[in-house]
Amino acid sequence: MPLTFPMALTWLRILMIPLVLALFFLPESWMNIHSRDVLACGAFIVAAITDWFDGWLARRWNQTSAFGAFLDPVADKLMVSAALLVLVDLGRVGFVIAFIIIGREIAISALREWMAQMGASSSVAVNWLGKFKTAAQMLAIPCLLYWEPYEGIPVGTIGQVLIIIAAILTVWSMCYYLKKAWPEIARKS
């Protein structure tokens, strides 16, 4: 498997995860909290942009691969999960919200794998609801990482509202995927 530019962007996103996490373990004597939050927010935004850009480039340049199709959502889930765990530790996201989002990602990933083994992967293909859920997460998390008001805009509060919306969309999309998969599950169980 050759390393294409889109695949390199996916790997870059995965490699950025420990770097973002490491920012939160630096002593305040090395970097103040505001600088840490700004850098973490910026790194997450770069990673989120590569999440969109690598897939777009792979399709445009006809460099899609089965491994890339596997690795891209894994990188996305790792990035979101790591950020949510940091945000729980900082007290910016509640444990229940993080559990809902991370738990759904694990459950739906397992469901997709199971449905693929049954030859029914199209019944749990990504739809608009999953895309809205991802968009809400990708907007909420940078706001929660940045946290402080910016030019009078309550960034942290906006992030908290968006993460609640993301959690609602998370549950809704999980129910949608389970409903779509249920006939196949019932038929083959």
Side-chain angles (χ1 to χ4, degrees):
M1 167 191 65
L3 181 65
T4 63
F5 185 68
M7 185 66 76
L9 288 176
T10 302
W11 281 111
L12 174 66
R13 190 161 71 251
I14 291 171
L15 293 173
M16 287 178 70
I17 295 166
L19 295 176
V20 170
L21 292 176
L23 289 171
F24 291 94
F25 292 99
L26 291 175
E28 281 188 50
S29 61
W30 288 15
M31 180 181 296
N32 66 44
I33 292 172
H34 175 74
S35 297
R36 175 202 69 192
D37 290 353
V38 168
L39 279 174
C41 173
F44 188 89
I45 289 170
V46 167
I49 289 169
T50 67
D51 181 30
W52 173 82
F53 199 54
D54 62 2
W56 181 79
L57 282 177
R59 287 185 298 278
R60 183 168 174 93
W61 293 347
N62 197 28
Q63 294 180 344
T64 59
S65 68
F67 186 68
F70 157 77
L71 191 61
D72 184 62
V74 169
D76 177 39
K77 287 163 185 40
L78 287 172
M79 179 179 69
V80 167
S81 297
L84 286 172
L85 292 174
V86 164
L87 291 167
V88 166
D89 187 55
L90 292 172
R92 298 177 186 178
V93 169
F95 169 78
V96 172
I97 298 276
F99 179 78
I100 287 169
I101 293 171
I102 295 170
R104 180 263 188 210
E105 297 302 341
I106 293 168
I108 296 303
S109 293
L111 178 65
R112 284 195 174 116
E113 183 177 333
W114 188 29
M115 297 305 285
Q117 288 176 358
M118 293 192 316
S121 57
S122 63
S123 64
V124 287
V126 175
N127 80 335
W128 64 270
L129 193 52
K131 291 181 184 289
F132 279 133
K133 179 262 316 170
T134 300
Q137 288 175 0
M138 296 302 180
L139 292 171
I141 292 172
C143 290
L144 293 165
L145 288 170
Y146 185 82
W147 191 249
E148 294 179 20
Y150 178 77
E151 301 286 327
I153 300 168
V155 175
T157 303
I158 291 168
Q160 288 177 322
V161 169
L162 287 171
I163 204 70
I164 290 168
I165 291 169
I168 292 166
L169 290 171
T170 295
V171 171
W172 186 7
S173 68
M174 183 173 73
C175 291
Y176 171 83
Y177 289 126
L178 289 171
K179 182 180 175 187
K180 294 285 284 180
W182 187 252
E184 277 301 315
I185 294 169
R187 190 169 65 79
K188 294 193 177 182
S189 293

